[in-house]
Amino acid sequence: MKFTKKSVCISIAFLFVLSFSAALSAGELEPSAPPSSGTMKTLDEVEPRIPIPGSETPVDTFDIYESGSYYLTGNRVCSSTGIYISSGVNNVTIDLSGCTLSAVEGSTGTGILMQSCRNVSILNGTVEGFANCGIAEYNSYGNAKGHRISGITVAGTGAAHTSFDAISLSGGKHIIENCIIRDNSNDGIVLSSGGGTVRNNDVSNNGSNGIVVYRRNNVEGNRCCWNGDSGINSNGPSIIKDNVCISNEEKGIQTQDGCRIIGNLVSSNYNYGIYAGDNCCIKGNTANSNGSGGIHGTYNCLFVDNVACENSTYGIHASSDGYIDSNTAVDNGNSNIYSAGSTLGSNHAP
């Protein structure tokens, strides 16, 4: 086919017309106006937060009478109780925002006080220097439950009386996790009812027990060292698992009946490493260099897969009707395994 200049020019013009028509039919490439600003909500609109003002001079109690989300705007020095959540106020979050709630010297009161509340979360900060408790739920009407305390340091509390513990929660199903509880006058953490969890806390150098729980709680992954009584004390059936209890003034772990004591390290405690009540399962623990004995269980306890070495008196001591199997007990002072009235399986106890 033979092309002329005229035919080429006509073809180019035709293509230009087609391209221009397509551009017109496609509409504007740029939007005519920005999206409506009313379609997005701010964080405060999604969950309105209420400020708790910081203060470097002593201030009165901040009272909470309504559910909601509260946050500390800065360090706050208190002349009495720091924050009070009124009786029956539920579903409250208090974010300390990395700040410190503290008491002026010589004052009395509790850092954060709840009374018969449900579902209170206390997060991310420090509570220190209060003469009473650091954080407490008194549960006057018996319906408190479901609190969560996470990422909190409690220090220097309880000087007013031996009954004031660093964290003391009545009611049930509470969670205390990832906290540092140190240098308090009395017990570090106390859960006085069941269904709760105490996990991954550092509880050290408190005047009495590190952690105290009653029935049906889980105590897992905590570090309890240099406390003035026992590292962990369970006053009812609970699960005590994967904790480290070192250099406490009494026992590393002390329990009453029906506990599962699994995978703990107890070392250099003044008295026993583990001292368990009746009908306990004691499995996979390591007890070394404790002042009296490594592991003691009273009636009808199961001792399996434990290691007990270099304890002052007994490695493993079963009072009666126990079953002792697959344990290692070496270099203990009086006897590696004492098994009065108990059944011995295959153990390494030269």
Side-chain angles (χ1 to χ4, degrees), residues 244-288:
V244 174
C245 298
I246 296 175
S247 297
N248 297 285
E249 289 296 319
E250 272 297 319
K251 303 169 182 71
I253 297 172
Q254 180 173 3
T255 78
Q256 291 187 1
D257 302 345
C259 288
R260 293 174 59 85
I261 307 165
I262 301 171
N264 303 281
L265 170 63
V266 289
S267 178
S268 302
N269 298 285
Y270 183 79
N271 204 311
Y272 273 88
I274 295 172
Y275 196 94
D278 297 345
N279 304 309
C280 289
C281 172
I282 307 167
K283 182 177 180 180
N285 302 282
T286 298
N288 294 332

Side-chain angles (χ1 to χ4, degrees), residues 41-312:
K41 293 184 177 181
T42 66
L43 180 60
D44 281 341
E45 288 174 324
V46 173
E47 182 188 24
R49 299 212 304 163
I50 301 164
I52 301 173
S55 176
E56 294 299 329
T57 58
V59 292
D60 291 337
T61 302
F62 185 90
D63 295 311
I64 294 176
Y65 296 108
E66 296 181 353
S67 304
S69 181
Y70 297 78
Y71 69 100
L72 194 57
T73 64
N75 296 333
R76 183 178 174 95
V77 180
C78 307
S79 59
S80 57
T81 288
I83 299 171
Y84 173 68
I85 305 176
S86 185
S87 178
V89 176
N90 305 321
N91 305 312
V92 171
T93 296
I94 299 173
D95 186 351
L96 298 184
S97 307
C99 300
T100 297
L101 188 71
S102 63
V104 66
E105 187 175 353
S107 66
T108 60
T110 290
I112 300 175
L113 177 61
M114 301 166 277
Q115 191 169 3
S116 300
C117 301
R118 294 188 178 190
N119 304 323
V120 174
S121 293
I122 302 170
L123 313 172
N124 307 326
T126 298
V127 178
E128 68 179 11
F130 288 89
N132 296 355
C133 299
I135 299 172
E137 164 62 78
Y138 283 149
N139 194 27
S140 303
Y141 302 106
N143 56 358
K145 70 176 182 180
H147 301 330
R148 175 173 172 252
I149 300 173
S150 180
I152 296 291
T153 296
V154 180
T157 68
H161 194 271
T162 56
S163 63
F164 293 132
D165 303 311
I167 298 178
S168 179
L169 301 183
S170 301
K173 300 183 179 179
H174 304 307
I175 296 173
I176 303 174
E177 61 184 359
N178 304 320
C179 294
I180 298 172
I181 314 298
R182 59 174 175 79
D183 302 320
N184 299 284
S185 296
N186 306 304
D187 293 334
I189 295 172
V190 178
L191 292 185
S192 58
S193 295
T197 298
V198 182
R199 63 188 172 211
N200 302 332
N201 302 286
D202 187 334
V203 188
S204 299
N205 203 37
N206 300 287
S208 191
N209 297 286
I211 297 172
V212 179
V213 296
Y214 286 77
R215 57 194 181 278
R216 301 187 307 278
N217 290 286
N218 292 334
V219 181
E220 183 172 352
N222 302 283
R223 180 178 178 271
C224 300
C225 303
W226 306 295
N227 296 289
D229 203 307
S230 295
I232 298 171
N233 192 335
S234 177
N235 293 296
S238 290
I239 297 173
I240 316 295
K241 182 179 179 183
D242 297 337
N243 302 281
V244 174
C245 298
I246 296 175
S247 297
N248 297 285
E249 289 296 319
E250 272 297 319
K251 303 169 182 71
I253 297 172
Q254 180 173 3
T255 78
Q256 291 187 1
D257 302 345
C259 288
R260 293 174 59 85
I261 307 165
I262 301 171
N264 303 281
L265 170 63
V266 289
S267 178
S268 302
N269 298 285
Y270 183 79
N271 204 311
Y272 273 88
I274 295 172
Y275 196 94
D278 297 345
N279 304 309
C280 289
C281 172
I282 307 167
K283 182 177 180 180
N285 302 282
T286 298
N288 294 332
S289 303
N290 295 285
S292 289
I295 301 172
H296 172 89
T298 51
Y299 174 78
N300 197 34
C301 288
L302 173 68
F303 302 81
V304 177
D305 296 330
N306 300 287
V307 175
C309 300
E310 299 181 350
N311 299 284
S312 294

